[in-house]
Amino acid sequence: MKHLGLEDKVVLVTGGNRGIGAAIVSLLEELGTQVAYTYRSEPNVESGALAIQADVTDPAAMAAAAETAEEKLGPIYGVVANAGMTRDNFFPKLAIDDWDAVIETNLKGIYNTLIPVIPKMYERREGSVICISSISGERGNIGQTNYAASKAGAIGLTKSLALEAARYGVRANAVAPGFIETEMTKAIPDKVKEKITAEIPFRRFGKPEEVAWAAVFLLSPIASSYVTGTVLQVNGAHHT
Ligand code: NDP
């Protein structure tokens, strides 16, 4: 029987209490992975994974989260930097607080998540990092200058990290989901949703589980051992 090589590996997922993050946590658990996830508000009571309260905008909390995960589960092999938020508005109306909040969470949050873990991965000569970007970061989106900038930034960070990390046997990849059915897209008005759906060749939004499989592929030291610095699009052919 073939396997993905994630059995008993330790993976840390940020924002793992709901949406795409929760789907990644759940799939990893089914694969026998030791999973720790961070949440900001409420943990997912249905998950058996190690839940750690930590805001990704707080560097000390993220350092402590990585330490707790390693103490309780063992050396972290994989990280999925998934936590993210939107504060949409047309650019002229975009308040500086909304700009800052989105960049702090979606981009600096990745830095805060990775900085305590990457040096240890280098020492151990293994590791796989996944940053959850977005279709908005690749092609832009109306009302999302802040969000698109953060998600394009996540791609630049990932590609640069992949180049630096290669010599240590550590990989870094991004996943760029299209429109996925979660709380984040629930806020889109029905009329706009219909318009977006009509533009998606698959004629539907994706499911969190469909993004989870992409993340798991990129985490796997067997399935994606020679894949690094890429952006895996999960978007029902909703390309640029
Ligand atoms: P949800 O809104 O359903 O979940 C967002 C997650 O991020 C929650 O777990 C939330 O935790 C967490 N989070 C937000 N801010 C912080 C913070 N400061 N510190 C810690 N955790 C935080 O969104 P999705 O599941 O849809 O999104 C997951 C990722 O996928 C995001 O990066 C998003 O940008 C990206 N994405 C989503 C798409 C979609 O269509 N849904 C499309 C493309 C990309 P809490 O519940 O505690 O607030």
Side-chain angles (χ1 to χ4, degrees):
M1 176 91 88
K2 299 242 185 214
H3 59 99
L4 287 168
L6 290 168
E7 308 73 26
D8 298 324
K9 287 254 189 301
V10 176
V11 173
L12 175 68
V13 181
T14 64
N17 54 323
R18 60 188 169 97
I20 292 169
I24 295 170
V25 169
S26 162
L27 180 56
L28 285 169
E29 282 194 283
E30 283 183 57
L31 293 166
T33 308
Q34 299 290 309
V35 193
Y37 71 86
T38 66
Y39 64 96
R40 185 181 43 169
S41 53
E42 300 285 332
N44 177 2
V45 288
E46 282 163 29
S47 171
L50 176 64
I52 304 168
Q53 189 166 28
D55 192 314
V56 293
T57 63
D58 179 346
M62 292 313 293
E67 211 177 299
T68 304
E70 296 219 325
E71 260 170 35
K72 299 214 165 147
L73 303 179
I76 294 172
Y77 164 78
V79 176
V80 184
N82 162 79
M85 65 178 293
T86 52
R87 291 262 183 97
D88 297 355
N89 217 330
F90 296 119
F91 188 72
K93 292 183 180 166
L94 190 63
I96 193 163
D97 286 352
D98 291 338
W99 175 269
D100 286 346
V102 168
I103 300 292
E104 280 280 319
T105 304
N106 297 3
L107 187 54
K108 197 170 170 205
I110 298 178
Y111 171 86
N112 292 337
T113 301
L114 298 183
I115 206 77
V117 182
I118 293 289
K120 292 181 179 174
M121 287 182 170
Y122 285 3
E123 273 170 30
R124 296 194 281 264
R125 294 283 193 277
E126 66 163 23
S128 178
V129 171
I130 318 296
C131 296
I132 305 296
S133 177
S134 166
I135 189 171
S136 297
E138 296 188 295
R139 57 177 241 172
N141 196 20
I142 289 173
Q144 291 200 316
T145 48
N146 51 354
Y147 181 77
S150 73
K151 293 298 183 179
I155 291 175
L157 183 159
T158 304
K159 284 178 179 273
S160 304
L161 183 61
L163 292 173
E164 290 184 17
R167 72 179 65 180
Y168 302 102
V170 174
R171 298 179 298 115
N173 290 287
V175 174
F179 287 80
I180 309 297
E181 285 168 9
T182 66
E183 291 290 323
M184 190 173 269
T185 49
K186 255 190 197 153
I188 302 173
D190 283 348
K191 274 232 157 101
V192 180
K193 246 185 211 164
E194 276 168 33
K195 210 171 147 233
I196 296 167
T197 306
E199 283 171 13
I200 303 171
F202 259 46
R203 297 285 183 268
R204 66 169 176 86
F205 279 24
K207 296 181 191 316
E209 299 73 36
E210 292 173 312
V211 181
W213 277 109
V216 160
F217 164 72
L218 292 171
L219 280 171
S220 166
I222 293 172
S224 61
S225 54
Y226 200 52
V227 181
T228 189
T230 62
V231 183
L232 180 48
Q233 295 161 328
V234 185
N235 63 17
H238 196 189
H239 295 284
T240 47

